[in-house]
Amino acid sequence: MKKRFLSGLLAAVLAASSLAACGGGQNTKTNEANTQTEEAKELEGEITFWHSFTQGPRLEVIQKAADNFMQENPKVKINIETFSWGDFYTKWTTGLASGNVPDMSTALPSHVVEMMDSEAVVPLDDLIDNIGRDRFAKTALSEGEKDGACYSIPLYSHAQVMWYRKDLLEAANLEVPQTWEEFAVAAKALTKDGVYGCSFPCGSNDLMATRFLNFYVRSAGGSLLTEDLKANLTSKEAIDGINFWLDIYKNCSPQDSVNYAVLDQANLYYQGKTAFDFNSGFQISGVKTNSPDLESQISCALLPKIKADDPDYGAETSNIPMVVWAKSEHPEICKAFMKTLYDTETYTDFLAATPVGMLPAITGISDSEKYKSNETVQKFAKEEEVISKAVQMGTAIGFEHGPSVQAGLLTSQGIIEGMFQDIITNGTDVNTAAKTAEDKLNEIFESVQ
């Protein structure tokens, strides 16, 4: 419930940084002129970079890029700190009150909306134009746009799809499910011999239950938010979705998944203990590391539908961005370093740290020889095509109505996760629990308006 007080708490603290955040009022020519002036000067100063690339290969590429940048700019020091996404959210929302925020960081699209609303970050239009605005997808840029200025720059993209085990389906003489009904039948049939059909995660410190419920609701043409940005958990689509996932939990999932976060969930698939899972291309590297003998047996498809002849859809696309914080004394260093991350050599190395898991956020990379020569990219070309299609069709959760603070709060407060836990653990009636959760979210939404 931390967002109940965040808006009021930040007002006084952020007053001092509002002048920097108001850079959105500068026109493009002024930004370009400032960039040229900054590039002409020798860079000097110390910055802190928070990112959530906790896995070894990605962390190593970022550190190498920072080391190279410091070598080329000897008067610059870059301090790097890593946090899981959950810890990062807590770190920056509480850090705003004390000024304990970095100079630059990665973020989630839902975070960026809250950051813009709090005037905590500065526009990056000069950097985007310097790299080439037309190289970025307009939808990705729009997720960090406010009053005509872009406050974030997309680093990579991915989307949620349905992952499955080819060998298990074949052994059971089952086809890849196209509908949720077919999915449930297959998941139940494959729950045997130490394998779960599909784990349903609803740990309160993550957004996984919200993610899974969103899949079903979006497939039915609904949304977890109304058009006027109220919580929408008591619609027919939402109630049907809640009941669907409760059925999966009861019949196909380990009972401990009531407390699972994203890594708990993914690890089951990595280790060959689930037949189905929903995730991005990160599943490939996870399986390769944990169960290399199963690498040839995994594949993915677009998310299931209500009816087989329903149109394809994308329920969740993530364009993971970077931001520069208003409190930074050296935004010019942040932007200069960010720009180097998009250099073809460095950028391709970064994407190759999790091939197919991270798809390029800019054009001119995926058709390069170095990118295409990656063994995993070649081996999972079909899967990359599926995920790329999903990227084009989806949005961040709740962003189907446009970027909003409410969409961010929908995924960050653990309300939907708590709703599922209440139903599973306490036996609370579905409609009652859904109405309670809906009211809680709307109360939070009202507190930040």
Side-chain angles (χ1 to χ4, degrees):
M1 298 298 235
K2 53 195 165 201
K3 293 301 293 184
R4 287 175 176 273
F5 60 84
L6 180 58
S7 181
L9 181 64
L10 298 181
V13 176
L14 292 173
S17 63
S18 62
L19 291 177
C22 287
Q26 297 178 342
N27 60 38
T28 302
K29 290 184 178 179
T30 302
N31 281 341
E32 290 176 350
N34 288 341
T35 300
Q36 292 169 359
T37 302
E38 290 165 357
E39 289 179 346
K41 295 188 297 186
E42 182 179 14
L43 295 174
E44 180 177 358
E46 183 173 347
I47 65 169
T48 296
F49 177 23
W50 287 359
H51 70 69
S52 295
F53 306 136
T54 54
Q55 299 98 328
R58 293 198 295 174
L59 189 154
E60 291 163 7
V61 173
I62 293 294
Q63 185 62 60
K64 181 181 178 182
D67 291 341
N68 290 341
F69 187 85
M70 288 186 285
Q71 186 174 357
E72 294 173 3
N73 300 274
K75 294 184 179 180
V76 169
K77 183 177 182 182
I78 301 176
N79 303 303
I80 295 180
E81 300 178 30
T82 59
F83 303 95
S84 68
W85 286 119
D87 289 342
F88 170 70
Y89 183 81
T90 301
K91 185 81 172 175
W92 79 258
T93 51
T94 57
L96 276 174
S98 62
N100 183 26
V101 292
D103 296 89
M104 59 177 284
S105 74
T106 54
L108 294 177
S110 56
H111 297 168
V112 175
V113 178
E114 294 184 58
M115 292 169 181
M116 292 189 296
D117 191 60
S118 301
E119 298 185 324
V121 292
V122 300
L124 299 178
D125 290 287
D126 49 349
L127 173 61
I128 292 167
D129 289 333
N130 204 309
I131 294 171
R133 184 174 293 269
D134 60 351
R135 298 185 68 190
F136 295 92
K138 290 182 180 180
T139 52
L141 290 177
S142 70
E143 292 179 348
E145 186 176 351
K146 183 178 182 180
D147 298 331
C150 291
Y151 288 78
S152 64
I153 183 168
L155 183 57
Y156 68 89
S157 301
H158 62 78
Q160 297 290 309
V161 293
M162 180 184 71
W163 288 87
Y164 58 89
R165 284 274 300 279
K166 294 185 288 186
D167 56 331
L168 296 179
L169 286 174
E170 184 179 352
N173 198 28
L174 291 168
E175 299 292 328
V176 176
Q178 295 185 55
T179 67
W180 289 114
E181 183 179 359
E182 292 171 355
F183 170 83
V185 169
K188 292 172 184 177
L190 297 179
T191 302
K192 60 182 180 180
D193 302 328
V195 173
Y196 296 98
C198 179
S199 172
F200 174 63
C202 38
S204 56
N205 292 324
D206 217 327
L207 55 72
M208 296 299 286
T210 304
R211 168 174 288 165
F212 278 45
L213 180 58
N214 184 61
F215 295 157
Y216 190 97
V217 171
R218 295 296 291 145
S219 74
S223 172
L224 295 177
L225 292 175
T226 62
E227 289 189 5
D228 58 350
L229 303 180
K230 298 290 193 298
N232 192 27
L233 301 183
T234 54
S235 67
K236 180 181 185 305
E237 297 89 353
I239 296 298
D240 287 349
I242 293 168
N243 283 314
F244 177 85
W245 289 114
L246 289 171
D247 180 60
I248 294 297
Y249 174 80
K250 179 180 178 181
N251 293 288
C252 312
S253 177
Q255 300 304 293
D256 288 347
S257 70
V258 69
N259 294 311
Y260 278 6
V262 61
L263 278 180
D264 303 309
Q265 174 76 6
N267 279 332
L268 285 183
Y269 191 78
Y270 297 166
Q271 297 164 6
K273 296 179 181 178
T274 47
F276 293 101
D277 195 15
F278 297 88
N279 210 315
S280 66
F282 278 76
Q283 296 293 70
I284 297 169
S285 59
V287 170
K288 186 175 182 179
T289 299
N290 290 269
S291 307
D293 56 317
L294 293 178
E295 184 184 6
S296 63
Q297 299 300 332
I298 65 169
S299 188
C300 68
L302 293 174
L303 297 170
K305 310 169 186 180
I306 300 296
K307 299 177 181 178
D309 58 357
D310 285 345
D312 292 336
Y313 70 101
E316 184 184 348
T317 293
S318 297
N319 299 296
I320 305 301
M322 296 183 291
V323 296
V324 173
W325 290 77
K327 61 84 61 178
S328 176
E329 296 180 1
H330 300 289
E332 74 285 355
I333 295 177
C334 299
K335 293 177 184 180
F337 175 55
M338 283 180 176
K339 184 180 178 183
T340 67
L341 297 179
Y342 293 91
D343 292 343
T344 301
E345 191 77 14
T346 300
Y347 194 51
T348 307
D349 285 342
F350 175 68
L351 297 175
T354 316
V356 186
M358 298 187 296
L359 301 181
I362 56 175
T363 59
I365 301 298
S366 59
D367 55 355
S368 70
E369 286 304 315
K370 182 173 181 179
Y371 181 88
K372 292 190 296 185
S373 67
N374 182 278
E375 180 183 354
T376 300
V377 170
Q378 293 178 348
K379 186 180 297 184
F380 287 91
K382 170 184 171 291
E383 288 73 19
E384 183 182 31
E385 184 178 348
V386 170
I387 298 167
S388 296
K389 183 176 181 179
V391 165
Q392 298 301 317
M393 295 188 296
T395 68
I397 296 174
F399 277 40
E400 55 268 19
H401 304 299
S404 68
V405 172
Q406 288 86 345
L409 296 173
L410 183 72
T411 60
S412 68
Q413 301 303 296
I415 301 297
I416 293 175
E417 287 68 27
M419 174 193 72
F420 275 105
Q421 290 181 337
D422 184 33
I423 297 169
I424 291 169
T425 304
N426 301 322
T428 302
D429 173 73
V430 167
N431 290 282
T432 300
K435 184 65 168 63
T436 299
E438 184 177 89
D439 290 344
K440 285 181 181 178
L441 280 168
N442 283 328
E443 185 178 355
I444 294 172
F445 293 171
E446 290 174 5
S447 73
V448 296
Q449 290 177 348

